[in-house]
Amino acid sequence: MAHPNIALIKYWGKRDEEWVLPAADSLSLTLDVFPTTTGVRLAPQAAGDRVLLGGQEATGPAQARVADFLHLVRELAGRREPAVVDSRNTVPTGAGLASSASGFAALAVAAAAAYGLAADPAALSRLARRGSGSACRSLFGGFAQWHAALDAGGGAAADRVSLAEPVPAAAGLEVALVIVVVNAGPKAVSSRAAMRRTVATSPLYRPWVASSVQDLTQMRAALAAGDLNAVGEITERNALGMHATMLAARPAVRYLAPASLTALDAVLALRERGLAAYATMDAGPNVKVLCAAGQASQVAAALREAVPQASVVVARPGPGARLVAGDGR
Ligand code: PMV
């Protein structure tokens, strides 16, 4: 079972598609809401892998993506048997709510156990990365940093060291993430395709990567100091910068909707009232607002009022992915 994570310093763009190696480090918060529970059961007599998503038989690209991942696990484990994967998400899939992060983190844990692969969190983080980059961070609870491992170059050498690690934060830093679900439908452009287009065509991409490297250093210092305002400011500017790179891609990728901007206005109004509230957005129109845990209900109420059609969920830091009894359904 695994929970989604939301990046405060974003991963946007790969330097190596095959090995899922990112252009820069990223840093996230694992949440305590919307878990994915995944069972992997070996089926030696079956003709191929079966994939059930929410109880429905998956076909086409959704089935293929899971089967490709199982193929990788089998290769690493020196095994051949197909499997039945039974995965249940409690979050809308493909809506920029990190369903692929919780999905592939849960699958990595369950598949490694089913095929008898060594399963320390670092190895599982590397494995989950191959399914969906951001998934490597969901192996850890709280704040986690995914190392791009640029020094290791590319290919198999970088594969060994590009993984996530927990990031310590000051004990007094008690945060919440208020999630404003303005649209739970699947996005028009996948994050994979959008990243590829941004890297290939956006003149703002390289400058954003350079600023993201600085954001990460400053974010680590702000977390260590327990400075929520600094954490929030860095979070918001990093996300807006990422969206700027996409808007400048050719053709543009625009995930933000009118209701997203209404939520951003509400966040600004909260700050003007003296609350520490800062927004971040991923590959979808939904807005996540970082704030002090003690002010989360106030922040959530303001967002419900500003965006009445949205559903608003308050999340707190959650645990890393783990094997639970019954995962081998
Ligand atoms: O892991 P992917 O391929 O779903 O990409 C996730 C990208 C963002 O959510 C936009 C940013 C991030 O770091 O999670």
Side-chain angles (χ1 to χ4, degrees):
M1 127 179 287
H3 288 80
N5 69 78
I6 297 297
L8 309 184
I9 305 292
K10 303 295 184 189
Y11 150 54
W12 194 250
K14 298 176 184 65
R15 71 179 194 277
D16 184 326
E17 291 254 350
E18 187 195 336
W19 291 91
V20 194
L21 297 169
D25 287 22
S26 53
L27 191 153
S28 61
L29 178 65
T30 298
L31 308 182
D32 68 343
V33 296
F34 303 147
T36 299
T37 311
T38 299
V40 174
R41 185 166 49 78
L42 301 188
Q45 311 304 332
D49 295 316
R50 273 188 70 201
V51 180
L52 300 167
L53 299 178
Q56 304 277 336
E57 191 90 36
T59 55
Q63 190 274 348
R65 196 162 170 199
V66 174
D68 285 351
F69 187 80
L70 291 177
H71 184 69
L72 174 69
V73 175
R74 284 190 285 263
E75 231 171 53
L76 292 168
R79 302 277 291 264
R80 300 176 66 96
E81 314 92 303
V84 180
V85 174
D86 183 355
S87 185
R88 287 163 204 275
N89 253 341
T90 53
V91 58
T93 304
L97 287 169
S99 60
S100 69
S102 56
F104 278 97
L107 181 61
V109 169
Y115 285 104
L117 268 188
D120 58 288
L124 291 172
S125 176
R126 288 175 51 215
L127 180 61
R129 190 196 83 233
R130 302 287 297 278
S132 184
S134 57
C136 73
R137 301 183 307 234
S138 276
L139 264 299
F140 302 98
F143 298 102
Q145 178 174 345
W146 172 14
H147 298 284
L150 295 173
D151 292 348
D159 171 55
R160 281 192 283 278
V161 280
S162 182
L163 46 87
E165 258 174 359
V167 171
L173 186 71
E174 298 239 347
V175 300
L177 203 67
V178 177
I179 305 173
V180 185
V181 185
V182 304
N183 183 348
K187 53 197 157 213
V189 189
S190 72
S191 57
R192 189 173 284 198
M195 277 182 203
R196 201 176 283 150
R197 193 191 299 170
T198 308
V199 174
T201 70
S202 175
L204 301 189
Y205 181 65
R206 284 288 141 202
W208 174 75
V209 170
S211 68
S212 211
V213 171
Q214 291 176 355
D215 284 349
L216 193 123
T217 308
Q218 293 175 18
M219 177 62 86
R220 288 205 58 134
L223 288 171
D227 183 345
L228 177 59
N229 283 305
V231 170
E233 270 168 31
I234 301 164
T235 296
E236 192 169 295
R237 74 178 184 222
N238 189 268
L240 289 170
M242 176 185 74
H243 284 273
T245 67
M246 298 183 211
L247 290 169
R250 296 162 195 185
V253 180
R254 182 174 62 83
Y255 286 119
L256 303 184
S260 322
L261 301 183
T262 305
L264 290 180
D265 278 346
V267 168
L268 214 53
L270 282 165
R271 284 214 291 274
E272 278 161 7
R273 279 169 43 198
L275 275 84
Y278 298 90
T280 186
M281 295 79 61
D282 292 283
N286 305 308
V287 176
K288 299 101 183 177
V289 182
L290 186 74
C291 62
Q295 296 181 331
S297 47
Q298 218 180 324
V299 169
L303 287 158
R304 281 194 188 102
E305 195 185 324
V307 199
Q309 73 274 30
S311 67
V312 175
V313 177
V314 176
R316 297 266 294 135
R322 62 191 187 280
L323 198 64
V324 294
D327 266 358
R329 260 190 302 252

